[in-house]
Amino acid sequence: MASEMEPKVRQAYLYDFYGELLNEHQQKMFEAFVFEDLSLGEIAEDQNISRQAVHDLVKRSTKKLEEYENKLHLMERFLELRDKAVSIQKCAEAYEKNHEEALLTRIKQLSGEIIKEL
């Protein structure tokens, strides 16, 4: 699931969870690359450094964020809970239309799993 997303989307999620753990310089460069969608060359020119230096910094920062995720799994848990909440919403909408008891059972199961996770 999380490993299937686009690299920049994954970087954005990782940053949302762990970005505060990067130093200020890393944060600034990472934000420019991921959120402002600036090219490595544009960032290099703005910072008066080489394109390779920007590439290395973004790569090292991404690796550091991935290491935090591998240890803490906050993003993975968030995405799993989000998917379950979306499923609950879809089941509830379907239940409103069809009043199928199986849907109500599924809603209870998913909400129970979320509560257990929390």
Side-chain angles (χ1 to χ4, degrees), residues 8-9 11-40 42-44 46-47 54 57-62 65:
K8 279 207 176 178
V9 173
Q11 286 173 312
Y13 269 112
L14 288 168
Y15 187 84
D16 285 345
F17 283 95
Y18 308 110
E20 290 294 318
L21 300 172
L22 298 174
N23 69 43
E24 192 173 319
H25 181 66
Q26 290 169 322
Q27 288 178 13
K28 183 178 179 181
M29 305 278 263
F30 197 88
E31 287 173 4
F33 182 71
V34 175
F35 297 112
E36 297 172 32
D37 202 29
L38 297 178
S39 71
L40 297 174
E42 291 170 319
I43 299 167
D46 182 57
Q47 297 295 310
V54 177
L57 187 139
V58 170
K59 187 174 180 175
R60 281 193 317 273
S61 296
T62 300
L65 297 174

